[in-house]
Amino acid sequence: MVDASTKVFAVIGSPVEHSLSPQMHNASFSALGLNCIYVAHRVEAQELGDAIAGLKALKYGGVNVTLPHKQAVVGYLDELSGEARAIGAVNTLEFRDGRVVGHNTDGIGALNALREAGVEVDGRRVLILGSGGAARAIAITLAMRCEVAGITLLGRTREKLEALAGDVERAGARVAIRLLSEAELRGTVEEHDVVIHATPVGMHPRTEETLLRAEHLASKPVVMDIVYTPRETRLLREAKKAGCKAIDGVGMLVHQGAEAERIWLGVEPSVEAMRRAVLEALGEE
Ligand code: NAP
């Protein structure tokens, strides 16, 4: 029951009405028996500074930041975690000793989703498709937290690939870039053990699209698609057809949220309750 001592958490973004974070975190709070509630606030760019000051003044327990504010929010914070600084974007705010600290849990969310599926990346060659916000968070986290043999970034915009490659190298990994083309795909995939797809290709409603088909995956790398609408994307169907281990994007979503709860509350979240809530909201359970 909500009462005068209930701790409030929120996600801020625009739009924010589609966010699954309220269902996911409220499920975890209730599984843990915590007097906490999680809501969503639509915040526009020009309101971002006021919103953060307001959330801090109202003593929110913690806040997630979603599109389009993940980079702009950095300008309103007192402190950044090393990972958030290296990524240049924040998805989690912690209110600590009167200071607002920014974290980025997207990368660790992806890493923990791989680990949960029994996949270790140490010593392995990782191919990341895309060079946007999610690809950046994942690549930099793997560079900072793991001993990967190397990371290859495959995308369609050379300037973005080069900029990200520089940051990934500074974060501690060997890195290569490749421009997306049919000819490049064939050779590149077979040089890698783990493929992480981090573009919107295949996302609802264009669910028949995929950058890779079974014929590209004959060497049987592990394939993780971070797209989670639908849960089983065309890419994952192609990966299964090729005999690869296929990991869906729900794991990353749940684990980035779980890491935020560890930061805010110092508790071990109920990952299973979070996953059930997400699957139910997606109509998958
Ligand atoms: P973003 O910052 O807009 O980046 C999108 C990336 O995809 C860019 O590198 C873009 O290339 C590339 N791209 C877009 N359309 C493409 C196409 N047709 N062919 C090849 N490359 C294409 O987006 P994001 O935030 O990184 O998100 C990417 C996807 O991941 C979205 O579907 C999002 O829902 C999902 N996601 C999932 C989770 C999770 O927890 N599971 C978390 C974050 C994001 P250019 O730079 O050349 O345009």
Side-chain angles (χ1 to χ4, degrees), residues 152-174:
T152 301
L153 305 168
L154 182 81
R156 60 182 185 180
T157 311
R158 178 179 290 283
E159 300 70 40
K160 288 181 76 174
L161 290 168
E162 284 174 349
L164 178 53
D167 291 344
V168 174
E169 198 163 32
R170 275 185 288 280
R174 292 173 51 157

Side-chain angles (χ1 to χ4, degrees), residues 69-150:
H69 306 315
K70 286 185 177 188
Q71 286 166 301
V73 74
V74 170
Y76 298 97
L77 309 180
D78 300 309
E79 203 176 315
L80 289 176
S81 72
E83 206 163 356
R85 185 175 308 107
I87 294 168
V90 158
N91 76 338
T92 300
L93 304 184
E94 177 195 12
F95 299 107
R96 190 206 296 160
D97 306 328
R99 297 168 68 73
V100 191
V101 184
H103 301 263
N104 193 312
T105 68
D106 280 333
I108 186 70
L111 178 58
N112 283 342
L114 287 166
R115 287 178 171 157
E116 180 182 60
V119 177
E120 275 303 331
V121 292
D122 288 353
R124 306 187 83 184
R125 300 159 302 173
V126 180
L127 175 63
I128 298 178
L129 305 184
S131 56
R136 164 170 285 275
I138 295 168
I140 289 187
T141 292
L142 296 187
M144 290 181 79
R145 294 189 186 240
C146 308
E147 300 293 331
V148 291

Side-chain angles (χ1 to χ4, degrees), residues 141-215:
T141 292
L142 296 187
M144 290 181 79
R145 294 189 186 240
C146 308
E147 300 293 331
V148 291
I151 297 174
T152 301
L153 305 168
L154 182 81
R156 60 182 185 180
T157 311
R158 178 179 290 283
E159 300 70 40
K160 288 181 76 174
L161 290 168
E162 284 174 349
L164 178 53
D167 291 344
V168 174
E169 198 163 32
R170 275 185 288 280
R174 292 173 51 157
V175 63
I177 59 174
R178 299 270 202 284
L179 269 180
L180 189 58
S181 73
E182 186 61 28
E184 198 64 83
L185 276 179
R186 287 177 189 281
T188 303
V189 174
E190 64 189 31
E191 294 164 7
H192 294 83
D193 309 299
V194 179
V195 176
I196 302 173
H197 173 249
T199 88
V201 175
M203 199 172 147
H204 187 78
R206 299 167 73 169
T207 54
E208 275 314 303
E209 295 184 358
T210 180
L211 295 179
L212 297 177
R213 298 181 302 281
E215 69 207 69

